[in-house]
Each structure stands twice: as structure tokens, then as C-alpha cells.
Amino acid sequence: MDKTWQRAENASGNNDLEMFQAGFARVIGGAPAYVLPLSLTSYGMPVERRLDVYRNNVHLSLADVLAGNFPVVKQLVGEEFFSAMAGVFLQTHLPRQAGLIGFGETFPDFLDGFEPAHALPYLPDVARFEWAWIGAAKAKDAPVLDPTRLGDVTADRIGELRFTLHPSCRLVSSRFPIVSLWQRSIAGEDLAGLAFEDNGEAVALFRPQLDVLQRPLTPGGFEFLKALADGCALDVGAERAATHDDFDIEHSLETELVAALGAGLFSDFKLPDAAN
Amino acid sequence: MFPRPHQSFRALDPIPARAGIGLKGEHMDDVLDTQPALGWFEVHPENYMNSGGMLHDRLEKIRDLYPLSLHGVGLSLGTYGPLDRAHLLRLKELETRYQPGLISEHLAWCRYKDSHFNDLLPLPLTQSALDVMVAHVDEMQEVLGRQVLIENPSTYIAFDGVEMSEPEFLAALASRSGCGLLLDINNVYVSAQNHGFDAVDYLRRFPVAAVQEIHLAGHALEVRDGHEIRIDDHGSKVSQEVWQLYRFYLQQAGPVPTLIEWDTNVPSLAVLQEQAALADVELSGGPLIGSPHGAADGMFAPLLGGQHG
């Protein structure tokens, strides 16, 4: 026995298990053992060192999940920095559900505000790219749209088409060259020589079968797909895209559409009833 | 595009009383290529609680070849208050999809309100904890439409003035809820060493009739502030002491489906197969057959010496 532990007040009517779990949740966050409403036996090792096993398990296992979901972010900042950064993140962002496939969704936004990492201003966008990649990899399986289904659409109504992006499709755009950066990092190549300023990139990540594919997008091409993802008809999407110099309604619309159909970026389409 | 032609055969696969291994993502292609002579596989359903992609494709193919067990780590049966119904329904979806031979969870908790700790946290073994566990196991079995197994955890703290021992608590849980039990012998050894109780005595008190699966794994011995503690990290081979306890248990209870778990510093599939082969030898009678209980006690004398303070 180490010593007499201070016992928390047990207000009458509270379940002892609930009181214990409320206290233990605080212990995991760093509170000492005396916040628990019951005392612990020691058997040699001091109680606080024993509780450290649980504190470490929680921290290390969740930091591992984050590192697994954001391997390039980890590579860019180094293992030690990543572990410390994960510690700060976990103080305020414990998982909201037990399945951890969805853990890390708020990590890119956290990085926006994480000052110690501001020397790498592209880091949050790299995290967004990695999150999009996971989203594409884990999305529900679905067949891609067979382009021959569009055979009955007459030329005068093409602009009214509304496409459904494939459920795996994720669109990412950055003012930094995130695609090149990610590819070089994954390949273990040096980042020296990569121009970061005025060299933005955009990409569609999608998984028509089992492997995640990437389709580089121009600024107009990104705007175009973004509009379609928002539910816009083809002609509205083209108008939005045409605000970018690289997108010309006459030519780009057709080439972008044919390329997207061929790649398998869509899973379905709708044509509003002509009578309406 | 993703039809599964053999689904109708899956229900015919109960988990055999042989050795299986915990299936890791990095071994899936190897398993499909080499189709090793293993009795069955087990996965954590939490890693499959999305509906598509590569892991599901591989698991579907492996399920067509082997019996499968789902071993949950996230339902938090021991949390006071309502069960996480959404999580339970996701588990139900996986049950429908993969038709596992066994589904198991833990005598532990891992959620408080909306925060998930991703670790199996200890429960004080009180009457109110038992009431919560019984109610949650009842609900789990009702939703899944089957009996589930509950596993003894490894623990690093113990409570003053507990009302029940772990074997007593699990026996009461099995009796009141009708659940089966999953006996993790490495956890028994780790907890026994960490708290100074007798692992053989624990096994003698364990409700053998309810046990339908055994777990074996490696653990780590760490020294903190000059004090030893055993950490259940599933990161090495099964220790000699745990093999001895396993042999002792099988002599009492007969063969039970046995899983080799290895979750950190995961080695090649071949190393896991070797560990499974050792378990299969024990399951088929072991290298030393016919040791009566008295002899088994003698075997444990050196192992357990010095623990009874």
C-alpha cells in the first residue's frame, strides 16, 4: 500500500462505476490517481507509474493511427516532431468513434493553427491530400458510369446533364505543389529543387476499382469538377470553370468531360425531365 | 463488379479446435498466394467499419477459404450508460457480410461520453460493473442474434476492496448473460505477474465450461523507476511461461480453438505460422503426453516461486 489516497466525494445517487469512469478519463488526460473515487493497490510499483501504462497506451496507439493516416506529414516533420505534435492534437481531439478509419479528419485544420509547424506552410495541404487519399481508398465500392449510357442524350441537351461523382472521388487543390511533393516523398526522393511559390497543383483522387488513382487537374478543370460535385448542371460547371484562363468552354468542356468519363470519375448522371 | 459467388458456403465453417492467427493487412496477399495450413483467422472488426476498398476485397477472398472470427476492441461493454448502438449496428453489418464463426469482445471499457481512448481500460469488479456488463452483453447478443465470447483483459492496476475476483466475475457474467468466454492466457500471466497472484490458481478457478476460445501472445517486460511491469504489447513470441500455462490449461479442459496474436513489430507470416504450429502440437496432445495434475503442479513450482509474499 503506498499511502492513504484522497477519496473524491461520492454524492449520493451517483453510480460508483460512472464516478470511476469520469475520474479515470481525467487520469488518462494527466490527472493524478487521487481523482479516482476508489483507491488502487500498488504491489511494488507506484500507482502513478502503473497509470502511466494506460496513459502511454492511449497516447501511443492514437499517435500511431495518426502517423499511419498521415505518413508524408510525418516524413516531412520527422518522427520526434510528429509525436509531440500528435500529443498536442490528442489533448483536444480524441476520437469520437471506436472505428479509427475516420480518425484524423480534423488534423489538417489543426495544422493550420499549429504554430510550431508554420515553417512548412504547405503541411496542412499535404495533410488534406493524405486525408483525401484515405477517403478514396476506404470509400464504398461502386461501378463507374458506362459512357455508352449517354448515347441517347441529344446534343442540344448535353448542357443540362448532372453527373454524380464516383463515391470514392476526392478533389484537392492547393497553392503549393502538393501532388509533386507527395509523390516525391512517397518515392523517398529529395524535395530540393521543387519550386514551392506560385506553383499550385490540384488533383482528383478516385478508386474505380481497388487502387487509388490520381488525375492532375488544371485550375479550370478543378473548378469544373467541383461544380459538378456540388450538383451543378454541365453548362453551369463550364461557366464557372471558364473564369480560369486555362478553361475554354468551346474546347475544354468536351476534352475534360471525355477524359473524366474515360477515367471513371462518375458513377451516374441525371437529365431533367424535358417536360418540366 | 464485386459479386461474391461463394457466400452461401460460409455459414458451414465453425471455428475448429486448432490454431489460428490474427490476420494483419500486410499478410493478406501472402495468405492468398500461399494458402497456409492454418485453422482460421481473426480480425478486429473496427478495422473494417467502412464499406469498400482493398482490405474488404482481400478479406472476402480469405473468408472464402478459411473460417473467420471477429474480435471487437471498441464496443466498450463496460462503460456505464447506454451502449454505442451505431457501433453495434456496424458490427452487425460485418456479421451479415462475413458470417464469422465467433464474435468476441472484452471485459473492459474504452469510451467515456464521446471520447474514445483506443485502449482496454480496467473495470473495478463490483456488483454495479457486473450489472452493466450483463445488460450490455445481453444487448450485444440480442442484436447479433448469437452468443458472444468475453475476454479477460491484461491489467496494470488493481483496486482496493474489490468485491469479486476476475474468474468469479466472468463466471457470473457467463451465467447471467449466457455468453461464452475467451480465455487469454498471456493476459492471465501478465496480470498475475503485475499484481502478484498465482496464474495456475486463476486458471483452476476459471469457469472452464464456458471457454470457447484461447488467446496466446507475447508481452514485454519493462522496468520503470526500478520496478518491473509486464506490458501486453502483442509484439513478440509467446513466452515459455505462457506456453506452460497453456499446456496446463489444455490438460484440464481439452482442445479449444487457439489464436496467436501479434500486433506490434509484426513479423513475417512464416513466424506466425511457426507459433501456430507450436499451438497445434499442444492441441493434439503435446510433446509430453499424460502428465497428471500433480506433475503439472511440480512443473509450475519453479515458474511461480517467489510470488507468494
Side-chain angles (χ1 to χ4, degrees), chain B:
Chain B
M1 188 165 121
F2 298 93
R4 305 306 316 167
H6 306 304
Q7 262 176 350
S8 55
F9 295 112
R10 288 178 171 181
L12 302 176
D13 293 334
I15 305 294
R18 289 183 54 197
I21 65 172
L23 181 61
K24 310 302 290 181
E26 55 262 56
H27 293 152
M28 288 176 132
D29 284 339
D30 213 0
V31 167
L32 286 168
D33 288 345
T34 62
Q35 300 192 14
L38 289 159
W40 52 290
F41 288 100
E42 186 164 279
V43 297
H44 295 316
E46 286 75 12
N47 294 338
Y48 295 86
M49 289 187 174
N50 67 309
S51 52
M54 189 78 84
L55 277 186
H56 277 291
D57 176 75
R58 297 297 187 264
L59 188 59
E60 294 270 16
K61 289 173 177 151
I62 289 170
R63 178 66 188 92
D64 286 343
L65 301 170
Y66 296 90
L68 181 74
S69 158
L70 296 181
H71 182 54
V73 293
L75 189 54
S76 201
L77 292 169
T79 291
Y80 180 81
L83 209 49
D84 181 346
R85 193 79 179 179
H87 187 85
L88 182 52
L89 292 176
R90 286 191 284 270
L91 182 58
K92 172 83 182 167
E93 274 177 41
L94 289 170
E95 178 192 36
T96 305
R97 180 167 181 175
Y98 288 103
Q99 300 177 31
L102 290 171
I103 299 181
S104 50
E105 253 290 351
H106 294 83
L107 171 60
W109 62 288
C110 56
R111 172 179 62 84
Y112 177 70
K113 294 189 172 167
D114 285 337
S115 293
H116 289 261
F117 299 109
N118 196 37
D119 191 33
L120 299 166
L121 302 174
L123 272 178
L125 301 181
T126 60
Q127 194 58 48
S128 49
L130 180 59
D131 291 343
V132 166
M133 282 295 299
V134 168
H136 287 166
V137 170
D138 278 348
E139 185 176 347
M140 184 182 183
Q141 295 186 133
E142 192 180 314
V143 168
L144 298 180
R146 65 159 78 200
Q147 184 190 43
V148 300
L149 310 185
I150 302 300
E151 177 183 344
N152 60 299
S154 53
T155 56
Y156 309 105
I157 59 169
F159 304 97
D160 265 347
V162 288
E163 296 167 17
M164 280 167 267
S165 72
E166 205 168 83
E168 281 169 346
F169 189 98
L170 286 167
L173 176 63
S175 149
R176 280 178 58 186
S177 71
C179 73
L181 298 177
L182 193 174
L183 173 62
D184 188 316
I185 292 182
N186 180 59
N187 288 353
V188 172
Y189 181 71
V190 163
S191 294
Q193 292 290 306
N194 287 344
H195 306 306
F197 66 77
D198 181 343
V200 172
D201 183 54
Y202 179 107
L203 291 181
R204 284 214 174 98
R205 291 161 179 267
F206 208 80
V208 170
V211 175
Q212 296 179 33
E213 180 181 342
I214 288 178
H215 275 183
L216 300 175
H219 63 264
L221 176 60
E222 292 187 9
V223 179
R224 297 185 180 181
D225 291 356
H227 300 282
E228 286 189 347
I229 190 158
R230 304 216 175 225
I231 309 287
D232 176 37
D233 67 349
H234 298 181
S236 56
K237 290 183 178 176
V238 177
S239 72
Q240 284 311 310
E241 294 87 348
V242 171
W243 281 122
Q244 286 181 13
L245 289 169
Y246 178 54
R247 197 170 297 146
F248 171 77
Y249 182 80
L250 292 183
Q251 283 165 359
Q252 320 275 311
V256 187
T258 299
L259 187 85
I260 304 293
E261 292 182 293
W262 201 318
D263 295 311
T264 55
N265 307 316
V266 178
S268 69
L269 181 61
V271 173
L272 287 173
Q273 284 177 251
E274 283 166 25
Q275 293 282 290
L278 290 175
D280 270 330
V281 167
E282 300 298 340
L283 284 165
S284 60
L288 298 167
I289 299 171
S291 172
H293 297 169
D297 284 350
M299 184 172 75
F300 281 105
L303 169 65
L304 300 166
Q307 268 191 50
H308 311 279

Side-chain angles (χ1 to χ4, degrees), chain A residues 85-216:
Chain A
M85 185 163 72
V88 177
F89 177 71
L90 291 170
Q91 280 172 16
T92 48
H93 295 77
L94 280 174
R96 312 291 284 182
Q97 58 178 33
L100 295 177
I101 291 166
F103 182 53
E105 186 174 12
T106 56
F107 192 55
D109 288 351
F110 163 83
L111 290 178
D112 278 332
F114 188 65
E115 254 177 55
H118 282 178
L120 305 179
Y122 45 82
L123 205 60
D125 282 354
V126 172
R128 287 187 180 94
F129 179 96
E130 293 199 283
W131 186 250
W133 199 96
I134 288 169
K138 303 288 184 182
K140 112 178 161 182
D141 300 323
V144 300
L145 172 61
D146 175 359
T148 62
R149 283 181 52 204
L150 292 160
D152 293 340
V153 181
T154 54
D156 61 316
R157 301 206 61 203
I158 285 176
E160 297 171 56
L161 284 168
R162 288 171 199 268
F163 287 94
T164 307
L165 264 65
H166 192 272
S168 68
C169 185
R170 303 289 185 276
L171 304 170
V172 189
S173 161
S174 171
R175 63 192 173 97
F176 299 107
I178 42 163
V179 184
S180 311
L181 217 157
W182 184 86
Q183 280 166 348
R184 287 194 191 194
S185 298
I186 286 287
E189 291 169 15
D190 200 349
L191 297 182
L194 190 60
F196 286 97
E197 294 305 318
D198 301 321
N199 195 19
E201 288 179 345
V203 67
L205 298 163
F206 61 113
R207 186 174 57 77
Q209 296 281 332
L210 289 175
D211 294 313
V212 175
L213 305 181
Q214 300 184 28
R215 181 173 155 68

Side-chain angles (χ1 to χ4, degrees), chain A residues 2-84:
Chain A
D2 277 30
K3 60 176 186 175
T4 306
W5 293 97
Q6 183 183 338
R7 285 166 183 273
E9 286 297 308
N10 190 347
S12 60
N14 280 350
N15 181 281
D16 60 354
L17 180 61
E18 184 181 28
M19 300 265 301
F20 164 73
Q21 287 171 336
F24 207 88
R26 292 178 60 201
V27 164
I28 293 294
Y34 66 69
V35 306
L36 296 175
L38 54 158
S39 60
L40 307 177
T41 59
S42 164
Y43 189 66
M45 177 176 270
V47 164
E48 286 300 331
R49 297 291 76 73
R50 290 175 170 273
L51 292 171
D52 280 345
V53 177
Y54 291 105
R55 295 180 182 118
N56 286 344
N57 280 354
V58 171
H59 172 82
L60 293 177
S61 71
L62 290 172
D64 268 1
V65 173
L66 264 195
N69 284 352
F70 299 94
V72 171
V73 170
K74 180 181 164 186
Q75 195 176 332
L76 290 170
V77 300
E79 197 157 338
E80 205 175 324
F81 190 98
F82 189 90
S83 172

